[in-house]
Amino acid sequence: RQRKLYEQQLISDQAFRDTEFEWKRLELSVADAERELGYTEIRAPIAGTVTQRLVALGDQVNTGATLFKIVDFDSIVARLYVPEKHLARLRPGLDARVRPTISALDPVPGFIERVSPVVDPQSGTIKVTVAMRDPGPLRPGMFVDVELVLATRDQALLLPRASLVYDDDQMFVYRLIPDEDRVQRILVEPGVMDESHVEPLSELQVGDRIVVAGQTGLKDRARVRIVDEPDPAEPVAAGASTNVTARVEG
C-alpha cells in the first residue's frame, strides 16, 4: 500500500524508506521465530531404537545437551585387535564368525569391514572392524569371540586339538613309531586352525597314529599300549588311566 502511494507521489521518500526498513526488520524477526520454533522438535540424525532417555517431561535443556541415546541395531560391529603377524592376510571382505561368550548361541556370520592402516606400537596389534549383515541375537555391549577365516585348504591334513601338548609357545604331538610300541615327540608347525583341528606343517602324514589322551605325562620314546589292541597278559582295570591313540585325519 505504501509503495502504491509512493508511486503516486502521495508520500515522501523518507516515509517510504522508513516503511521498507520496517518491512525488512519484520522479515528477519519472522525468520528468527521460525528458527526458534524448529528447536522445539528434536530429530535424530539416524534411524534406530532409543536405548536411554536422559531428560524428563518439563526439563529445560540447552543447545548441545544429550537428550537420548539411539542405537541402529542393523549397524552393530565388533572391534578386535589382531596380532600383526596376520597383517598380510587381513583384508576387507574376509569371512568371520561372531559368537557371544555368555551363551551357547550359534555363531553369527560376519565379514571384515575395515582394517586399520597402522599397527599399535605398544601392543603389536591391528584394529579390525567386523560387520554383520544380520546381527541376530547380538546386542551392543556384549563380549564376543570372533573367528576370522584367514585361509582355507582343500584336502588338508588335520590334527585334533586334543592331541596337542604345549611347551611354552610351541606345540608337540606324540606319534606312534611304526612296528614299535613307543612314541616319538613331533614338533607341530601350525597352519590353518579352527576350534577343533590344526593343520600340521611338519613331517606328519595321513595314516600316522597319534596319542590323543594321557599324552601330558609322556616323554619321547616312551612305551605305550594301544587301547583298541589290549594285551591279554596285562588286563586294564576299570577306571584306570590309559594312553589313547588315533589316526591323523585327512
Side-chain angles (χ1 to χ4, degrees):
R1 186 162 59 246
Q2 292 288 340
R3 184 180 297 279
K4 290 181 180 180
L5 293 174
Y6 178 70
E7 291 172 352
Q8 296 174 12
Q9 297 183 353
L10 297 178
I11 61 174
S12 65
D13 291 345
Q14 182 64 39
F16 180 67
R17 285 195 296 272
D18 290 345
T19 302
E20 277 192 324
F21 176 80
E22 181 66 15
W23 174 264
K24 291 179 180 178
R25 187 186 67 82
L26 292 174
E27 281 186 327
L28 292 176
S29 297
V30 171
D32 288 340
E34 289 177 343
R35 185 177 63 254
E36 293 292 334
L37 180 63
Y39 292 155
T40 64
E41 183 178 8
I42 306 300
R43 289 184 174 270
I46 63 171
T49 302
V50 176
T51 59
Q52 189 175 4
R53 185 178 68 176
L54 304 176
V55 291
L57 183 63
D59 287 351
Q60 183 176 356
V61 297
N62 299 319
T63 302
T66 302
L67 307 181
F68 302 92
K69 290 188 178 181
I70 300 176
V71 174
D72 179 8
F73 288 97
D74 293 332
S75 62
I76 290 178
V77 297
R79 293 187 177 91
L80 59 148
Y81 296 86
V82 180
E84 61 180 323
K85 65 181 181 180
H86 300 299
L87 176 60
R89 295 190 289 177
L90 291 173
R91 65 179 186 276
L94 281 180
D95 290 336
R97 290 185 283 269
V98 184
R99 187 196 308 274
T101 58
I102 61 172
S103 64
L105 298 175
D106 293 334
V108 176
F111 60 93
I112 294 180
E113 185 178 51
R114 293 187 300 274
V115 178
S116 174
V118 297
V119 177
D120 185 344
Q122 295 183 347
S123 63
T125 58
I126 307 157
K127 183 179 179 180
V128 176
T129 301
V130 174
M132 293 146 281
R133 295 179 178 86
D134 181 8
L138 299 181
R139 292 294 180 266
M142 272 187 172
F143 288 95
V144 295
D145 292 324
V146 179
E147 182 180 10
L148 299 178
V149 184
L150 300 180
T152 58
R153 298 276 195 277
D154 292 329
Q155 300 298 320
L157 182 70
L158 297 179
L159 279 173
R161 280 182 177 268
S163 66
L164 297 176
V165 177
Y166 295 89
D167 188 355
D168 292 333
D169 58 347
Q170 294 181 319
M171 295 185 293
F172 296 88
V173 72
Y174 287 95
R175 179 179 62 182
L176 184 68
I177 301 175
D179 302 325
E180 295 187 30
D181 57 356
R182 298 181 183 273
V183 291
Q184 180 184 11
R185 192 186 194 200
I186 304 293
L187 175 65
V188 176
E189 294 184 31
V192 295
M193 297 185 289
D194 60 16
E195 293 181 351
S196 55
H197 294 89
V198 175
E199 178 193 22
L201 303 178
S202 53
E203 57 186 275
L204 293 170
Q205 302 293 329
V206 174
D208 285 348
R209 309 193 78 176
I210 59 173
V211 181
V212 297
Q215 67 271 30
T216 55
L218 288 178
K219 295 182 179 180
D220 191 33
R221 305 290 299 179
R223 187 182 298 276
V224 296
R225 178 171 58 80
I226 304 174
V227 294
D228 56 2
E229 298 178 5
D231 183 359
E234 187 180 346
V236 178
S241 61
T242 58
N243 293 326
V244 183
T245 63
R247 290 186 180 277
V248 177
E249 301 176 4

